[in-house]
């Protein structure tokens, strides 16, 4: 059976795949226009037809457009080549997009049963094809209401400046993005910023007001810049852009049952920003919300900390003399272990080479590190909005608690995005990480942070029986911040007598909850 039709429209060659039920119904179908001759769908058509047959994906008409000169047609304006021996980029993208919108789409609509509205029309591509698909969504929102950006080349000269200045997509538009964590890592050109720029674009669009229900980013930890990875993401793009009615939007969230502690819930949540799955624990407030909303505490290592915190807040917020009600949000992992080592080492740290870290006691190598920025994006742009849709939250009373490497992450957040939370609780923080990089970060950023002008609070704690360097590091940081003209107005330190690295935790929870709800 010939699955594809070869069409010539003017001087354009098209590769058309009709939905399986096209010849057996009088239905009209949404259409996806796909760059590079449709190789993104020709290589995975069996899987797409499985998604159709199993009801996971609405049937879509697929139109592959064969380019004449992709480095000209897929670039928005002229630019110099990355390598001197190559010709410059032609920058004929606007003419190409208008040709697709004003010539190819009208022809397909006239010859086939299509849904012609912008909301039923997608344009999708990978690499430069993703770049020009992005510009198609910007230039012709009247035509393309669905946009798939697979490993889009946002590194292109001037592209990030355009995105930073552009107002963003319209309310009727829906965007899927994907990138591999390993894309461009061996390059010396701007291409090495593939993952970084893609995350920045996603963050910028959220900040410009695009809600998570219309924007999704998938990050593949081992993904590289090649057809294999992009072809793998193409079905995910279609599922997001043309999913069955009633599909949830934003991060994949399903209710995963309840804990045995009354008043708690758990969610299973897949992050498009980190590519990881999280178990989110919620301790719901017992009393009605204040006029400004509930205070909220986000706690890391929730597999270990959440149960104690949930019980503490449930007991201590009982009336008539209890502390005010607050929401506790625990960020954990899909594991029965209290400390999920591999995942937390990546999510809570900046990258460190083994040469920048001490030898481990058992002589083993260190786990993968360096995911702090992506994890912080997940908290800010995926988790917080979801929590705020479920509960009335007072954004001026948000707190973050982390212990050990979680304490490092709490301090890293304070020194990079201090406005994310008002109160930071760092217990036994791993200040030693990467040759005391936190101290260096503070020195480099303190003037720009201007914490002294805010009501940000930092509460440090450490057990007196911990390793001497843990105790001394905590005190040194406290002294550094209190002595600095740029430090927070409120910085405290508590050295808990006769407690070690783990045993100090229960003694911290009650004072912390009182402060969180203040």
């Amino acid at each position: 059976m010939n699955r594809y039709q070869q069409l010539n429209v003017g001087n354009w060659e098209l590769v058309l795949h009709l939905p399986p039920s096209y010849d057996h119904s009088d239905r009209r179908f949404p259409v996806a226009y796909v760059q590079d001759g449709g190789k993104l769908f020709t290589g995975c058509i069996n899987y797409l037809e499985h998604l159709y047959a199993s009801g996971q994906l609405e049937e879509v008409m697929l139109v592959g457009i064969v380019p004449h000169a992709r480095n000209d047609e897929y670039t928005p304006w002229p630019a110099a080549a990355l390598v001197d021996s190559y010709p410059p980029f032609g920058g004929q993208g606007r003419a190409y997009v208008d040709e697709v919108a004003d010539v190819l789409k009208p022809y397909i609509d006239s010859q086939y049963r299509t849904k012609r509205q912008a909301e039923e029309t997608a344009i999708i591509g990978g690499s430069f094809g993703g770049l020009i698909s992005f510009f198609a969504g910007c230039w012709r929102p009247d035509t393309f209401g669905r946009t798939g950006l697979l490993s889009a080349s946002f590194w292109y000269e001037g592209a990030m400046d355009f995105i930073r200045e552009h107002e963003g997509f319209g309310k009727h538009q829906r965007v899927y993005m994907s990138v591999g964590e390993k894309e461009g890592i061996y390059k010396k050109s701007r291409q090495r910023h593939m993952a970084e720029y893609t995350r920045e674009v996603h963050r910028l669009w959220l900040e410009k007001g695009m809600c998570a229900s219309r924007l999704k980013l998938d990050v593949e930890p081992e993904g590289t810049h090649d057809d294999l990875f992009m072809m793998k993401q193409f079905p995910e793009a279609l599922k997001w852009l043309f999913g069955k009615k009633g599909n949830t939007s934003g991060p994949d969230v399903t209710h995963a049952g309840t804990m045995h502690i009354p008043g708690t819930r758990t969610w299973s949540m897949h992050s498009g920003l980190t590519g990881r799955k999280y178990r989110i624990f919620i301790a719901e407030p017992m009393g009605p919300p204040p006029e400004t909303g509930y205070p909220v505490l986000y706690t890391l290592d929730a597999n270990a900390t959440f149960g104690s915190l949930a019980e503490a807040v449930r007991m201590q917020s009982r009336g008539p003399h209890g502390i005010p009600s607050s929401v506790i949000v625990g960020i954990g992992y899909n594991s029965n272990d209290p400390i999920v080592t591999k995942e937390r080492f990546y999510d809570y740290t900046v990258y460190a080479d083994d040469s920048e870290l001490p030898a481990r006691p058992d002589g083993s190598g260190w786990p993968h590190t360096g995911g702090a920025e992506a994890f912080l994006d997940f908290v800010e742009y995926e988790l917080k909005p979801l929590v705020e849709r479920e509960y009335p939250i007072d954004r001026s009373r948000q707190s973050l608690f982390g212990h050990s490497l979680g304490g490092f992450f709490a301090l890293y957040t304070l020194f990079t995005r201090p406005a994310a939370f008002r109160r930071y609780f760092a217990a036994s923080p791993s200040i030693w990480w990467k040759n005391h990089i936190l101290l260096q970060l503070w020195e480099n950023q303190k003037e720009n942070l201007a914490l002294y002008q805010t009501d940000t609070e930092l509460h440090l704690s450490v057990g007196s029986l911990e390793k001497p360097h843990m105790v001394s590091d905590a005190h040194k940081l406290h002294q550094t911040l209190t002595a600095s003209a740029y430090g927070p107005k409120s910085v405290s330190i508590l050295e808990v007598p006769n407690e070690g690295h783990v045993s100090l935790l229960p003694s911290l929870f009650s004072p912390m909850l009182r402060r969180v709800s203040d």
Side-chain angles (χ1 to χ4, degrees), residues 224-276:
T224 51
H225 192 78
D226 48 45
D227 292 345
L228 176 66
F229 171 60
M230 288 180 247
M231 200 175 298
K232 176 184 174 184
Q233 297 306 123
F234 182 78
E236 300 304 312
L238 286 184
K239 283 194 285 187
W240 170 255
L241 298 175
F242 295 110
K244 285 288 186 181
K245 301 301 182 185
N247 274 11
T248 56
S249 57
D252 296 329
V253 179
T254 56
H255 292 295
T258 59
M259 295 182 63
H260 294 297
I261 302 174
T264 63
R265 301 167 63 188
T266 59
W267 299 335
S268 178
M269 188 169 182
H270 181 272
S271 169
L273 293 169
T274 67
R276 292 171 176 263

Side-chain angles (χ1 to χ4, degrees), residues 134 149 169 177 201-210:
F134 156 70
L149 313 178
F169 287 99
M177 308 167 68
V201 170
H202 180 263
R203 182 166 60 245
L204 286 169
W205 286 338
L206 289 173
E207 290 174 351
K208 290 174 186 287
M210 192 171 188

